[in-house]
């Protein structure tokens, strides 16, 4: 069933060979073909802009009031590319190797190598669009390090890289809108995929302002709808981020792969109470210069600045000397959890560790004094100069932390703790980014393909733009070349009518329940179940309990949820209810997938499977495959396995020591 369509030949030549032999659509025929793009973050905006530029008739949908509000805008730290501007030994192969290793050998080699190849083009594309990447004094683009690497390959724009990249993609998209090649539908949410003769032929969307359902035809449908981290309720994702589009595709036959592979980000502002609806990410770029530590003394009550150097445990530097504070996210997150669970946590909740910039401020201050030829400089002057350098590099992140916590991170260490951030699982796609439903594609975080069991920092923006700008323009042509004889389908076709009827009936059913509990309360309860039993650590007993609890929650939701308002009006609670209903079903599959995978790898840490020193213990003999689940009915899924073959890289126990 799973044909990954990986081209034959040497790994480094596969993409070049594919591009040289794939089918093409001539410009006159492109104007006859309609493509639907759902989602307008980095993957969606870049795909819609690129396909519009090529001449296709594109319809782009987003549930926000503007494409500029897509969650890609929240990315902070940077975007990877194998440019080797630092002359520190980087290369396409090195980026490929780091990504495979960082994903704990659970990603597809061919897709990852292609990603590394096109990464170098992304930077040129974005610079040409005017993205204001940070530059060195001489004008060259600057780089910094991220976790899981020993080179500096991350390009950045202060702490707002996602925002600047999205503005670049948005400009390209709006140009195509102005030219009439792309039609933009904002405040529209996709609620169903329409299939005709087994192929994706359109979508049912709801106008979130009027509440009306709309039918839209497309020769192909691209889902660029991000990840499903909000299944945990508390995460770094925007509150509107959801799994609905991908889940509708899944229920229509698209396989869902590795749903239990979720990423916990190690540097987030800790939870402060039950009032919170989301968590705030502090960029991984802060681990470049910040040192992470906890007190050596159990249940320490002194302030951080009062604890002398010799009484601090820089535990990442101690445990992983080769990579130190720049170990991959899953390793850093588990290490923080271990220290806190052992009683060394800090802050009022004791569920936090310190991220300290004092040493970096001193170091930068001394460098500045040297650059200016200053001698006999006081400690205060050095610190003042060092703070200015840090402010220039990370200022908006420090300001954000100060506003949220009321503490000055220039004077005292930040307090951080891991939080749900990214999802490596997603819809199964082949080499062409096509799902198991012909004509239905998934790009960016919505698919599973590049990151294995753990994503390296600064690779999400890279994948989204790679898929949209440099992959899908080629691969979709290979499919649409055979569709030029297929005339557009009238949206009065029975398949569209049936899909619309099913969506309407589901909405009416939700509204008719008139129970006693809010949608938010169900979402919170679901999130607690998944976080407690399928979060940073999982075990068989907990997962079995979670499955039963989620099934019971689903039954309760469909009998006692209360949604105020009406259907044919702007009704955010109804929108949320639709999304939470899908999250509940996904939560069950996540736990089933985690229970099935009897090993630890990357972000999937089964407590029963770990090395003597607490590291993830893989089982390559039995689990070196992509776990892809086919929906068979309520509480029922069938597992399909795509075997992972490593022809270039030999899998080994990850070692960052």
């Amino acid at each position: 069933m799973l044909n990954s369509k990986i081209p034959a030949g040497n790994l480094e030549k596969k993409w070049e060979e594919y591009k040289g032999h794939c089918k093409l659509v001539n410009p006159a025929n492109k104007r006859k073909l309609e493509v639907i793009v759902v989602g307008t973050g980095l993957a969606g905006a870049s795909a819609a802009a690129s396909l519009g530029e090529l001449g296709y008739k594109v319809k782009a949908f987003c549930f926000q009031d503007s494409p500029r509000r897509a969650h890609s805008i929240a990315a902070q730290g940077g975007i990877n590319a194998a440019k080797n501007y630092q002359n520190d030994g980087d290369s396409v192969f090195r980026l490929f190797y780091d990504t495979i290793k960082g994903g704990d050998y659970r990603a597809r080699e061919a897709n990852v190598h292609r990603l590394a190849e096109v990464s170098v083009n992304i930077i040129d594309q974005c610079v040409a669009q005017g993205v204001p990447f940070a530059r060195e004094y001489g004008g060259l683009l600057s780089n910094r390090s991220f976790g899981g690497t020993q080179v500096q390959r991350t390009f950045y724009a202060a702490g707002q890289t996602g925002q600047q990249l999205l503005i670049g993609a948005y400009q390209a998209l709006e140009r195509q809108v102005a030219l009439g090649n792309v039609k933009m539908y904002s405040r529209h949410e996709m609620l169903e995929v329409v299939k005709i003769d087994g192929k994706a032929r359109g979508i049912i969307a709801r106008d979130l302002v009027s509440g009306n359902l709309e039918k839209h035809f497309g020769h192909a449908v691209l889902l660029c709808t991000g990840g499903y981290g909000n299944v945990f309720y508390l995460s770094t994702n925007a509150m509107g981020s959801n799994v609905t589009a991908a889940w509708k595709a899944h229920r229509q036959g698209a396989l869902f792969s590795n749903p239990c592979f979720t990423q916990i980000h190690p540097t987030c502002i800790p939870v402060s109470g039950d009032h919170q609806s989301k968590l705030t990410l502090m960029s991984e770029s802060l681990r470049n210069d910040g040192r992470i530590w906890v007190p050596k003394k159990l249940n320490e009550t002194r302030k951080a600045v009062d604890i002398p150097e010799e009484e601090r445990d820089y535990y990442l530097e101690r445990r992983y000397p080769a990579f130190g504070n720049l170990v991959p996210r899953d390793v850093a997150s588990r290490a923080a959890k271990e220290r806190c669970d052992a009683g060394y946590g800090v802050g009022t909740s004791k569920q936090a560790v310190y991220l300290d910039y004092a040493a970096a401020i001193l170091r930068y201050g001394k460098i500045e004094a040297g650059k200016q030829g200053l001698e006999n400089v006081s400690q205060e002057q050095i610190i003042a100069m060092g703070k200015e350098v840090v402010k220039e590099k990370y200022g908006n992140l420090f300001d954000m932390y100060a506003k949220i916590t009321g503490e000055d991170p220039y004077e005292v260490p930040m307090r951080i703790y891991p939080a749900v951030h990214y999802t490596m699982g997603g819809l199964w796609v082949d080499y062409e980014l096509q799902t198991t439903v012909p004509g239905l594609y998934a790009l960016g975080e919505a698919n599973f393909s590049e990151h294995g069991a753990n994503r390296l920092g600064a690779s999400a923006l890279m994948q989204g733009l790679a898929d949209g700008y440099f992959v899908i323009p080629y691969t979709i042509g290979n499919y649409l070349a055979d569709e030029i004889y297929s005339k557009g389908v009238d949206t009065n076709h029975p398949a569209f009518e049936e899909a619309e009827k099913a969506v309407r009936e589901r909405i009416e059913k939700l509204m008719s329940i008139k129970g006693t509990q809010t949608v938010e309360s169900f979402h919170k309860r679901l999130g607690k179940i998944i976080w407690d039993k399928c979060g940073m650590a999982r075990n068989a007993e907990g997962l079995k309990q979670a499955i039963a609890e989620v099934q019971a929650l689903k039954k309760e939701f469909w009998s006692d949820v209360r949604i105020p308002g009406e259907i044919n009006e702007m009704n955010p609670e109804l929108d949320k209810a639709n999304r939470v209903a899908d999250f509940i079903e996904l939560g069950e599959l996540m736990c089933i997938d985690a229970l099935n995978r009897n090993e630890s790898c990357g972000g999937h840490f089964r407590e029963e499977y770990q090395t003597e020193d607490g590291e993830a213990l893989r089982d390559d003999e039995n689990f070196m495959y992509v776990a892809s689940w086919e929906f068979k009915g309520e509480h029922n899924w069938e597992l399909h396995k795509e075997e992972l073959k490593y022809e270039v890289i030999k899998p080994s126990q990850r070692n960052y020591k």
Side-chain angles (χ1 to χ4, degrees), residues 199-351:
K199 295 180 179 180
R201 286 298 190 210
I203 64 169
I204 305 298
R206 183 167 181 264
D207 182 329
L208 299 183
V209 177
S210 68
N212 295 332
L213 297 181
E214 299 177 3
K215 299 171 285 189
H216 294 275
F217 166 79
H219 289 90
V221 177
L222 278 55
L223 301 184
C224 313
T225 50
Y228 50 88
N230 274 354
V231 67
F232 291 91
Y233 185 70
L234 282 179
S235 81
T236 66
N237 290 264
M239 285 303 293
S241 298
N242 62 82
V243 76
T244 289
W247 198 251
K248 300 308 183 193
H250 174 54
R251 290 180 67 104
Q252 287 288 347
L255 302 196
F256 209 103
S257 293
N258 300 334
C260 78
F261 285 174
T262 54
Q263 179 169 79
I264 314 296
H265 197 294
T267 50
C268 297
I269 296 177
V271 176
S272 60
D274 291 339
H275 63 281
Q276 278 184 276
S277 57
K278 78 177 295 295
L279 298 173
T280 303
L281 170 71
M282 297 306 297
S283 169
E284 183 172 312
S285 62
L286 292 171
R287 290 202 275 149
N288 266 275
D289 292 312
R291 299 180 72 194
I292 295 171
W293 62 277
V294 292
K296 288 182 178 178
K297 180 183 167 187
L298 272 172
N299 301 310
E300 177 65 75
T301 56
R302 287 176 292 176
K303 293 179 180 178
V305 292
D306 296 332
I307 301 173
E309 188 73 14
E310 62 273 13
E311 294 182 38
R312 301 178 177 189
D313 178 15
Y314 295 94
Y315 58 90
L316 291 177
E317 298 171 32
R318 169 173 57 82
R319 289 180 61 177
Y320 309 101
F323 283 72
N325 295 297
L326 286 170
V327 291
R329 291 175 176 178
D330 60 311
V331 177
S333 294
R334 279 198 299 277
K337 181 179 187 295
E338 184 274 329
R339 287 291 80 191
C340 291
D341 289 351
Y344 296 95
V346 301
T348 52
S349 68
K350 298 299 180 186
Q351 291 294 300

Side-chain angles (χ1 to χ4, degrees), residues 37-57:
V37 177
V38 184
T40 55
L42 284 182
S46 59
S50 300
L51 296 176
E53 182 79 42
L54 287 171
Y56 294 106
K57 292 164 66 178

Side-chain angles (χ1 to χ4, degrees), residues 55 113 174 180 338 409 455 547 637 647:
H113 196 278
E174 287 302 308
E338 184 274 329
R455 177 177 69 79
I547 292 167
W637 286 271
E647 299 171 2

Side-chain angles (χ1 to χ4, degrees), residues 129-149:
Q129 289 176 337
V131 173
F133 286 121
R135 294 180 181 267
E136 303 289 359
Y137 179 77
L140 299 176
L141 293 178
S142 181
N143 294 111
R144 56 190 179 199
S145 297
F146 260 61
T149 72

Side-chain angles (χ1 to χ4, degrees), residues 510-528:
L510 279 168
M511 292 298 294
S512 69
I513 296 168
K514 299 192 185 305
T516 61
Q517 300 182 62
T518 65
V519 177
E520 192 84 349
S521 66
F522 280 105
H523 195 180
K524 272 188 177 181
R525 286 166 60 192
L526 172 68
K528 182 163 176 51

